[in-house]
Every structure is written in C-alpha cells, then in structure tokens.
Amino acid sequence: AAAAGAFSLREVLEAFQRCVTEQREGLLEPFLQSLGTVFSFISKDAVAKVSLLEGHCGGGQGQQYVSLQSMVRHELAAGPAALRARSDSGCRTVLRLHRALRWLQLFLEGLRSGDSRTSVVCTDAYNASLAAYHPWVVRKAATVAFCALPSRDAFLEIMNVGPRDEAVAMLGEAIPYIGDVYSITQELFAQHKLLDLP
C-alpha cells in the first residue's frame, strides 16, 4: 500500500472509474478527486482550479454541481453571455482542467509505451494538448521544465503500485477511463458551444 499522503495510481484509477455513471453523466466529485491527486504533484495552477470547483460543489448551489451535465445546465440558464463574462464559472474552470486531462492522457500513454525519454513524451503530449492555449513564454518555460523530468522508471515508482510491470499494467487500466471522462466532457462542451470559453 502507498504511504499516507503519497501519490497512488490505484486511488486515481478508482476515482476515474467512479466518474462516469451508467447514464453517461460525468460526476464532478470523483473527477475533482482524481485530478486533485494527479495535479498536486504537477501544477499549483491546476490545484487552484480544482479548489475553485470544490467551492462550487460545496456551496449553496452545490446540488447544481453534482455532474458536468447539471453544472452546464445551471450555468447556461443565466445565458451564454453571462457565462462567458464569469471568470470563476465552473464551465470555464472545467474546460481548463479538461485540456490538462488531455495532456495527462497523452503523457500516461507515452509513459506506458516507454518508447522515448519522459522529457520527450511530456513535450509531445504538451504540444498536442495545452500548448495551443498558452503564450510563447509559457510554452518555452514548459519545454525547459520538461527537460528536468525524472526517468520513466522513477515515474513508475512514484505511482506506488509495486514493480514496474504492475505500474505499466495499471496505466493500461487507467487510460481508457481517463479517455472516457475526456470524451464525455468534450462532447458535452461541443454540444453547448463551450470549447472556446475565454
């Protein structure tokens, strides 16, 4: 078992497994739990976004933030213009986390295959997902930071699921669940024309 407070890929997998209901609704609580765990090791900015959404879920309108679908309905009820004007909207915040989730999915797929150094895998995942939304200075800083990433073996050890083969196998289990959450969010936001929120 993972040490208390340590990252655990098994816990992340279990949270992603709980994200999607039989009715194909994306539940926010396990979504935030899984992303909060992953991004606490990667990005303070993403953790702040998770915290903002947790505030919505636990606030006076919390029942409107049970699922991605209920959140979108609730926030669009005020009108698309009002939603676009809000910098703290759940939809805007989920969109940013959704883009980061795509990066995570691509990075973990690359890590699982083990074809390249982690810096190359991370850079490729970033360029295929988040880079388009960042200014040049941020892209350059990210690329430099990726050069300092630990080895693939070190990443697999950090996942706290046992030997390397077990970690790779668990990545194989987790990636489809991550992809499912990503697809549901992508389809929902495309349907409501929310993929270009400022």
Side-chain angles (χ1 to χ4, degrees), residues 163-174:
R164 182 173 53 192
D165 291 349
E166 286 183 37
V168 169
M170 190 161 288
L171 281 175
E173 278 186 68

Side-chain angles (χ1 to χ4, degrees), residues 64-137:
Q64 304 297 338
Y65 291 87
V66 171
S67 71
L68 294 168
Q69 290 79 359
S70 63
M71 175 194 70
V72 168
R73 281 193 302 271
H74 171 67
E75 293 195 349
L76 277 176
L83 173 57
R84 288 180 177 278
R86 285 184 57 193
S87 63
D88 68 338
S89 77
C91 289
R92 180 182 186 275
T93 306
V94 164
L95 180 60
R96 270 111 189 111
L97 290 171
H98 172 66
R99 292 169 181 163
L101 183 62
R102 179 65 177 152
W103 166 81
L104 176 67
Q105 179 187 12
L106 294 172
F107 177 65
L108 292 179
E109 285 172 357
L111 198 60
R112 180 174 173 254
S113 73
D115 292 338
S116 302
R117 294 189 328 268
T118 53
S119 59
V120 174
V121 169
C122 195
T123 300
D124 289 348
Y126 176 76
N127 288 337
S129 57
L130 290 168
Y133 306 103
H134 292 163
W136 180 86
V137 173

Side-chain angles (χ1 to χ4, degrees), residues 127-174:
N127 288 337
S129 57
L130 290 168
Y133 306 103
H134 292 163
W136 180 86
V137 173
V138 173
R139 291 195 309 264
K140 190 68 177 168
T143 304
V144 169
F146 298 154
C147 293
L149 287 175
S151 68
R152 177 176 183 260
D153 286 349
F155 264 111
L156 295 175
E157 190 174 319
I158 289 167
M159 293 179 184
N160 283 310
V161 288
R164 182 173 53 192
D165 291 349
E166 286 183 37
V168 169
M170 190 161 288
L171 281 175
E173 278 186 68

Side-chain angles (χ1 to χ4, degrees), residues 39-66:
F39 290 128
S40 66
F41 289 85
I42 299 168
S43 167
K44 288 187 171 89
D45 182 54
V47 171
K49 288 174 175 41
V50 168
S51 295
L52 189 146
L53 278 168
E54 287 173 339
H56 284 307
C57 293
Q61 297 285 318
Q63 74 279 7
Q64 304 297 338
Y65 291 87
V66 171

